[in-house]
Amino acid sequence: MIEAKRELKGALGRAVASLLEGAAVPLPPGFEPGFETPKQADHGDLACTAAMQLARPLRRNPRELAQALVAALQAQPEVARWVARLDIAGPGFINLTLTAAARQSVVGEVLRAGDAFGAQPPTGERLMVEFVSANPTGPLHVGHGRNAALGDCICRLFETQGHAVYREFYYNDAGVQIATLAASVQARLRGLSPGQEGWPESAYNGEYIADIARDFTARATVVADDRQTTASGDPEDLASVRDFAVAYLRHEQDLDLAAFGVRFDHYYLESSLYTDGRVEDAVRRLVAAGKTFEEGGALWLRSTDYGDDKDRVMRKSDGSYTYFVPDVAYHMAKWERGFHRVINVQGTDHHGTIARVRAGLQAAGVGIPAGYPDYALYKMITVMRGGEEVKISKRAGSYVTLRDLIDWTSRDAVRFFLISRKADTEFVFDVDLALQRNDENPVFYVQYAHARICSVIEQHRAGGASVDDLATADLSPLVAPTEVAVLRLIAEFPGVLTQAAQSLAPHDVAFYARSLAAAFHSWYAAERFLVDDPGLRRARVALLAAVGQVLRNALGVLGVSAPERLHRDDPPATLPEPAAPSASVA
């Protein structure tokens, strides 16, 4: 069906060109002849709105133009091969109903492509996705988890579109929060606890601070993905306390991310922007470009010249820089490193920084286009357990951690749930729902479909039947309504991936997986697969194998496993508890 769609698009292009021949009229902006998938199955398999789009510039009645376009299409050999019926509906919609062979051809396409079904060939384009970017001041919380799930799925989506994707984690290793972390650990080293006299008012109160102090006293060595540090053991050595605490928490974050199935290519330190002179260089560029002014002892950026609602302070009267200045320098560095497409995954509370960062990049005059970088924004989540909101983790002291969610449920459940809603909408994570093994639990519902498919195919094989060369099976028996619905859905998968990537909407893939699982479960309830008729049996097993492959591919984009065995009466599957983030002694 993918081949049929591709050939029919070419035929449509030629048919439209024949109507436009000799007509010197401007076409609608961005016009390209193509097809849509009708929302209602009885409207056919493909729909075309070209006649309505061209009616005004050609000064013709849209329905009459549709009739002319249908006549031009019927002259195309691809239409004769793949289309059973052409209909005109409403003011000029053209609906195409494909032949059964066209619909069925997708099974062979899926089975031949395997894991690559839905993926596009390499484009040579480089893309950086910056996500998580949590400061090392405590365990990753559930908001970081949503960030990680969203960012990782965006990476996986663009990899299916042929992009070379680079994953980057940016964090502040030397700011006020880090100073607070060091002071918190030092207070623990001096024998203080939260609530005691002398405990710093702004200190972090979680049990992890005591763990860091314990290993610091033991002169432990901690190894994180981007650093290794050995503690001096001296409570008064604040520099060693700070460096050890940062490395310790980076190590803990690495454990959380590994348990979540997320990796990074590079960790970028905010402190390096100062030590490498990038912040000062960015400020010099903005001053030289005439885009700054001084007022009240502060240096300001004329960000209103670039659509911001007001000008922004860059350097305060005390000489320190405001938050967005290193961000500007950082994104200039991204551009200079050759990443001309960048996506940042951030909470909606960072929305206000978008305009000023883009304004700074434009004002610098270094060739960065408007709209750079792109942003995917997400809202925080609420965690419910036992019908009540959970707000506190014993380990973190003030919030629910990502590790809590994984330990309470499973990695698959957390990843699927956190990506199953549009990122910029509120989301409630129901721990009890994530543990249910029924149709109400969306991740179980999808995984159970895959496990059912594997079970039927295994029964087919155990009966002595071959599962080789299913891509060449005669699929003409696949005419039941439930089979037609499944065929139509698996053919949509490549387009779902492309649209989800373009819209930065990985939740669309989760929604698609649920829809395909629902179509399969309906088919499973309506038809028998291992029938006596060998031709029908082989055709249905081939379709089963194709559905299983597409489900695996969709779940793979979400970073979720596709189990081959899963039973409703099994106890909930959970990951082993991750090892405690202890230091390894050198």
Side-chain angles (χ1 to χ4, degrees):
M1 192 171 180
I2 309 303
E3 178 186 358
K5 286 182 177 180
R6 182 170 57 249
E7 291 188 4
L8 288 173
K9 184 176 181 180
L12 176 62
R14 292 190 296 276
V16 169
S18 70
L19 296 183
L20 294 175
E21 189 173 353
V25 295
L27 297 179
F31 173 76
E32 181 180 356
F35 296 107
E36 303 171 1
T37 300
K39 294 182 179 180
Q40 295 179 237
D42 58 358
H43 289 176
D45 298 290
L46 301 173
C48 175
T49 60
M52 293 183 292
Q53 292 176 280
L54 294 173
R56 176 169 293 181
L58 292 179
R59 297 182 179 179
R60 296 180 63 177
N61 178 282
R63 193 171 176 90
E64 291 177 359
L65 190 58
Q67 293 171 340
L69 184 53
V70 166
L73 281 169
Q74 289 172 330
Q76 303 295 322
E78 295 86 356
V79 173
R81 177 185 179 190
W82 297 116
V83 178
R85 192 174 74 245
L86 280 163
D87 299 303
I88 299 173
F93 290 102
I94 300 175
N95 295 328
L96 289 75
T97 300
L98 301 181
T99 64
R103 293 194 187 107
Q104 295 157 359
S105 65
V106 71
V107 173
E109 292 169 338
V110 171
L111 297 180
R112 285 188 291 271
D115 293 344
F117 181 73
Q120 305 302 318
T123 63
E125 295 184 49
R126 301 177 72 211
L127 167 70
M128 176 193 285
V129 182
E130 183 218 322
F131 62 112
V132 182
S133 295
N135 291 337
T137 55
L140 297 179
H141 56 61
V142 292
H144 294 133
R146 194 173 196 185
N147 187 312
L150 179 60
D152 189 54
C153 290
I154 287 174
C155 291
R156 292 167 185 256
L157 266 176
F158 276 94
E159 285 171 339
T160 72
Q161 302 306 296
H163 288 62
V165 179
Y166 189 83
R167 296 159 164 84
E168 186 150 288
F169 187 124
Y170 169 83
Y171 68 92
N172 177 5
D173 61 331
V176 173
Q177 292 179 332
I178 301 301
T180 301
L181 171 67
S184 304
V185 175
Q186 190 175 56
R188 283 281 192 175
L189 289 167
R190 291 170 174 169
L192 297 175
S193 299
Q196 290 184 341
E197 184 178 352
W199 181 256
E201 183 177 348
S202 60
Y204 298 113
N205 298 324
E207 287 298 314
Y208 67 94
I209 298 296
D211 295 339
I212 298 172
R214 181 197 63 229
D215 283 355
F216 182 86
T217 300
R219 294 182 171 84
T221 295
V222 286
V223 180
D225 281 352
D226 68 322
R227 58 181 58 214
Q228 175 176 320
T229 302
T230 299
S232 71
D234 179 3
E236 302 310 313
D237 186 354
L238 188 59
S240 179
V241 172
R242 180 183 62 248
D243 293 346
F244 182 81
V246 168
Y248 188 102
L249 288 169
R250 278 290 310 110
H251 170 66
E252 176 163 320
Q253 290 176 354
D254 291 340
L255 292 178
D256 291 343
L257 293 169
F260 205 44
V262 173
R263 65 172 181 82
F264 287 90
D265 297 300
H266 186 240
Y267 292 82
Y268 199 105
L269 307 183
E270 182 178 346
S271 61
S272 71
L273 295 170
Y274 293 91
T275 57
D276 294 346
R278 287 192 174 275
V279 171
E280 290 294 340
D281 180 65
V283 173
R284 280 194 299 270
R285 287 176 182 268
L286 292 168
V287 172
K291 298 299 181 179
T292 64
F293 64 94
E294 293 195 29
E295 183 178 292
L299 182 67
W300 297 68
L301 174 68
R302 299 185 189 277
S303 54
T304 51
D305 290 352
Y306 301 93
D308 199 0
D309 59 346
K310 62 181 179 180
D311 293 330
R312 303 290 177 173
V313 174
M314 292 174 52
R315 187 175 61 228
K316 294 181 283 188
S317 57
D318 63 4
S320 63
Y321 291 110
T322 53
Y323 187 79
F324 85 95
V325 177
D327 277 357
V328 172
Y330 175 42
H331 285 88
M332 288 173 63
K334 289 181 180 181
W335 180 265
E336 291 169 4
R337 285 188 283 157
F339 294 106
H340 293 174
R341 175 79 192 277
V342 169
I343 300 169
N344 294 345
V345 182
Q346 296 180 345
T348 51
D349 56 324
H350 290 274
H351 184 274
T353 66
I354 296 175
R356 64 196 76 168
V357 169
R358 287 176 171 171
L361 294 172
Q362 290 294 292
V366 293
I368 298 177
Y372 180 96
D374 291 326
Y375 288 86
L377 301 179
Y378 66 94
K379 289 188 176 180
M380 300 296 284
I381 67 175
T382 301
V383 178
M384 300 293 292
R385 190 180 190 189
E388 297 181 354
E389 182 178 352
V390 184
K391 295 183 178 181
I392 297 177
S393 162
K394 179 180 178 182
R395 177 162 180 75
S398 59
Y399 55 83
V400 178
T401 69
L402 173 60
R403 192 179 305 174
D404 289 332
L405 283 191
I406 295 174
D407 289 348
W408 293 340
T409 59
S410 69
R411 179 174 80 182
D412 284 346
V414 176
R415 289 194 66 127
F416 195 99
F417 273 51
L418 292 183
I419 210 66
S420 63
R421 296 287 188 275
K422 191 175 179 182
D424 61 356
T425 59
E426 300 286 349
F427 177 65
V428 175
F429 189 105
D430 189 332
V431 172
D432 300 312
L433 176 61
L435 291 173
Q436 291 181 20
R437 303 180 75 76
N438 56 35
D439 295 350
E440 294 181 14
N441 180 346
V443 65
F444 178 85
Y445 186 67
V446 176
Q447 289 181 320
Y448 189 52
H450 183 266
R452 264 183 165 176
I453 289 169
C454 293
S455 175
V456 175
I457 293 176
E458 182 56 34
Q459 292 176 53
H460 174 73
R461 183 189 290 110
S466 172
V467 293
D468 297 331
D469 300 322
L470 289 175
T472 63
D474 176 13
L475 304 172
S476 59
L478 299 177
V479 295
T482 48
E483 290 165 342
V484 172
V486 169
L487 288 165
R488 186 184 189 203
L489 263 176
I490 61 177
E492 292 177 7
F493 183 59
V496 168
L497 294 181
T498 297
Q499 184 58 47
Q502 291 174 350
S503 304
L504 304 184
H507 65 278
D508 285 346
V509 181
F511 182 82
Y512 170 85
R514 293 177 66 177
S515 297
L516 181 56
F520 162 74
H521 287 306
S522 296
W523 178 34
Y524 186 93
E527 305 291 342
R528 291 178 55 234
F529 300 128
L530 304 184
V531 295
D532 293 335
D533 182 337
L536 177 59
R537 175 175 175 143
R538 183 167 171 79
R540 284 181 172 167
V541 170
L543 180 54
L544 276 172
V547 176
Q549 183 66 65
V550 176
L551 283 173
R552 285 194 298 277
N553 292 2
L555 289 171
V557 170
L558 303 177
V560 174
S561 69
E564 295 185 4
R565 291 178 176 82
L566 196 64
H567 301 288
R568 290 180 182 271
D569 54 354
D570 286 346
T574 59
L575 291 178
E577 184 173 350
S582 60
S584 56
V585 179

